[in-house]
Amino acid sequence: MPKIIVEIMPKQDLLDPQGKAVANALVRGGNKDISGVRIGKRIELHFDREVTEKDIEEAKKQAKEFLSNDVIEDVVAVTVEN
Amino acid sequence: MFKNKNQPSGVDTVENAKSEPDKDQPWKELGLKQDEYESIKEILGRRPTSSELAMYSVMWSEHCSYKSSKIYLRQFGEKVTPEMKKHLMVGMGENAGVVDIGEGLAVTFKVESHNHPSYIEPFQGAATGVGGIVRDILSMGARPVAVMDQLRFGAPQDPDTTRVVHGVVDGISFYGNCLGLPNIGGETVFDKVYQGNPLVNALSIGALKHEDLQLAKATNPGDLVILFGARTGADGIGGVSVLASETFGDEGPTKRPAVQVGDPFAEKVLIECCLELFHAGVVAGIQDLGGAGISCATSELASNGGKGMKIQLKNVLLRDESLTPEEILMSESQERMCAVVPKKKLKDFEKIVNKWEVEYSVLGEVIDEDRLYIDWGHEEIVNVPPRTVAHDGPVYDRPVEYPKYQDALNADSSSKLKRAETEAAAQLMELISSPNHADKSWITNQYDKYVMGNTALAMPDDGGMMRISEETGLGVALATDANGKYCYLDPYEGARQALAEAYRNVAVTGAAPRAVTNCLNFGSPENPEVMWQFKQATAGLADACQELGIPVTGGNVSFYNQTGETAIYPTPVVGVLGVIDDVARRVPSGWQDDGNNIYLLGTTYDELDGSAWAKDLHNHLGGRPPKVDLQKEKELASLLYGATQQGLIEAAHDVSEGGLGIAILEASLRFNVGARIWLTELMERDGVNLTAALFSESQSRVIVSVGREDDVKFQALCEARGVPVLRIGVTDKENQAVDIQGVAKLDLAAIRGAWAGVLPGLY
């Protein structure tokens, strides 16, 4: 299925409580070399047809304005799987 | 990488400040005024280093220094009698006031604003608002036991209101529910004046034993200064000076600085850790980190204790190693506390924080010198008298001007509005289904209300009530109020009314009012007309507190609440705390039994100016707000207290916004018990027409339901206390309707349908 994949991460300088909790758990589990974890999200937009340039443009716009909260998050990638 | 220890790191040091006196500094960008910058130079005898500039700018911001409000806030301390202070253990100036409630127990409570952050990022803004006020309560040595939120949103239909409502409500419920604290009440108001500037005020209550009281003081030289809790990151840097003290442009949220992100689970651990530290007696002083972060904590602890400090800033545990010293000083990372610990207690301190897996680092120590020294490695970057940062900031007596619009506004009475008495029933239904009077459970049901099992009353009752002692049932009740419309019409009377209503809302629960907190939300202090509103409101509140005999224990001022040039209505949120010796005697706001008599206490005047009837039904706001007679409020409260002590009252509900009509509907909806009401006697006795009888917002009124067997006793009590009393109906369980004779018989199911569906429909 053709899809556009949007990847979003919490802004670098903001606290990521989820990442912190997972990092603590990993270290407790013996992974002493892991010094930090940050958790973002991956959003797939599915299409029943080929993805066009226009779709990508629109996806980028939606990624910035709607799918992410640009006060606390960054869109780090918008990619296509056709 | 190995760096030579003595190599300069490039930061601006005290040395540099002396050798390069003329360096250009961004004082303006940091929100300082020219004369403020000059006075910093005067204090130091040189230009400030960039770290000192960061500290002064953030601590001298309106939010931290109260520079425009200080001269008015003094009256809360001056207009008190020794009698009023009888129960006050800690008054204004500390993190929160502490009130003795007997049995060796005390409570601490405070309300604070988080308005601007909650507009920019509603979820995190509201969440960290809860987190911040809870840490204030914690820092007094108390266990936080409940929270409340006072919310003002823009026009209900505006799409941006949807964004803000969802974010704020989700944020509050997320943080509060994760902490496991019940949210026991608050307010929700919609009005387009709050469109670009919603108000998100957060209140918390904590309970403590007298001996557990903690203060934010560093008094013993040699004691260690320890920062513990979350690590310091680049959260909300400059948030205090930039976020909280500047106005939004008309174009919406364009200014988007980093906001703070809260972690309620970290805060929960911090609460338990702090309480164990307090009980173990290892802490000599404690301060939470909120706005202005380390700048505030170090300078305030030192200044409060009349001592100094020597701090090594490199010892601060960082989440982001690239932070500059200025950023570290200003960071508003959440879930951090600063403790002053005697050296010999360090081992005990470490044992406890390690048990809770809370990170800590020793920043430095208290010194016997009136100086705050902060080093960055081997370089000195701050060398200031702590008082000049924390307490002796600028104080402004800003210009005050009677608003040009005021006379015309007051002359524009609601008496010109048509009173179509045949439409009274339709108007009542329209009002109960308007967003301001509709069921708020869509919001309050998202909050835990009963977690921990000590909630005696919560929304939709008039006040929240918590049991503090599980052995004796000793408890406290709390209510907050503010009517922005009344305050706009007359800020002096409006502020008095806010206090009167909160006082009454506590009294109807069966508790005796004891202390006050406030959160004064206003427009820009640089606007002389806003400053006039502020002057009037603070005078009104201070006078009213004196008249009622209950002291202000603390609070918060939020200025610059405006969009462009348009300020919000002056909104002084007033919270009143009451004490009840046994929460089993609490009185709910709705009737429960069949055939009980319904009485109206107090007198109804023709007071429709500023009412919900005028504003929500006729879009009219003008004239004079209802008169407040605090002597009457006192008599009413004392009657209610006496009657509940004797168990005479089954239900009591405050008559306020929307008038008697709305009060009757709300009391019926509470437990789904109807009523038969007659108003002709009331109209005759008080000389008012039907519209005024139903919708007037006259003060000092309460409706109560009383069992038939207690009738004689109750009426005699009212007469003895001189409170006007009139039987206006009986409760009716059978008919499932509110039957107001001569108006309409309204089906309870129909009323509920109109009332309950509004907020879920909108959001």
Side-chain angles (χ1 to χ4, degrees), chain B residues 582-600:
Chain B
D582 186 354
V583 296
R585 265 200 278 272
R586 69 188 178 277
V587 179
S589 63
W591 24 79
Q592 299 165 74
D593 287 339
D594 188 50
N596 282 353
N597 285 318
I598 299 171
Y599 290 96
L600 173 65

Side-chain angles (χ1 to χ4, degrees), chain A residues 13-15 17 20 28 69-72, chain B residues 121 234-235 256 259 261-263 319 357:
Chain A
D13 41 2
L14 281 180
L15 176 69
K20 198 175 91 182
R28 268 198 301 274
N69 174 352
D70 73 351
V71 181
I72 54 174
Chain B
E121 167 43 42
D235 304 83
R256 296 192 140 173
V259 293
V261 172
D263 180 355
R319 212 170 65 224
E357 294 186 354

Side-chain angles (χ1 to χ4, degrees), chain B residues 124-351:
Chain B
Q124 293 294 347
T128 53
V130 175
I133 193 67
V134 165
R135 282 194 304 281
D136 269 330
I137 293 308
L138 175 64
S139 64
M140 299 310 296
R143 173 179 283 284
V145 295
V147 293
M148 270 181 156
D149 289 274
Q150 297 72 34
L151 311 175
R152 303 285 185 286
F153 298 118
Q157 269 86 9
D158 192 291
D160 194 54
T161 305
T162 308
R163 170 189 77 97
V164 177
V165 167
H166 275 281
V168 166
V169 174
D170 286 356
I172 291 169
S173 70
F174 165 70
Y175 208 100
N177 294 358
C178 286
L179 279 185
L181 288 179
N183 192 314
I184 59 168
E187 305 159 67
T188 307
V189 175
F190 297 91
D191 193 301
K192 66 176 190 315
V193 294
Y194 304 108
Q195 195 63 56
N197 200 122
L199 303 185
V200 176
N201 294 174
L203 180 149
S204 180
I205 320 171
L208 67 156
K209 290 188 184 140
H210 286 184
E211 63 268 25
D212 291 338
L213 182 66
Q214 300 289 333
L215 294 174
K217 265 185 188 176
T219 43
N220 302 312
D223 283 2
L224 301 171
V225 180
I226 302 180
L227 186 66
F228 65 110
R231 286 182 167 231
T232 300
D235 304 83
I237 285 179
V240 168
S241 61
V242 182
L243 266 186
S245 305
E246 273 179 44
T247 315
F248 300 122
D250 298 318
E251 65 279 359
T254 46
K255 190 180 271 173
R256 296 192 140 173
V259 293
Q260 309 100 299
V261 172
D263 180 355
F265 299 108
E267 178 125 323
K268 173 65 180 166
V269 173
L270 198 58
I271 291 172
E272 301 305 330
C273 174
C274 282
L275 290 172
E276 190 171 341
L277 289 171
F278 300 155
H279 296 149
V282 301
V283 169
I286 188 137
Q287 169 77 302
D288 64 302
L289 276 80
I294 297 176
S295 297
C296 179
T298 52
S299 63
E300 282 196 355
L301 281 166
S303 177
N304 287 342
K307 292 287 181 294
M309 268 182 199
K310 195 158 174 55
I311 300 293
Q312 174 52 263
L313 205 58
K314 284 245 164 148
N315 288 354
V316 174
L317 297 175
L318 299 178
R319 212 170 65 224
D320 172 359
E321 292 297 333
S322 69
L323 286 184
T324 66
E326 295 86 352
E327 289 173 325
I328 297 169
L329 285 167
M330 289 171 93
S331 161
E332 293 183 359
S333 289
Q334 301 289 298
E335 293 95 22
R336 296 180 299 163
M337 300 288 278
C338 188
V340 177
V341 177
K343 270 189 189 128
K344 61 175 195 298
K345 303 271 189 189
L346 181 62
K347 282 269 171 304
D348 299 327
F349 180 92
E350 285 171 331
K351 216 171 121 191

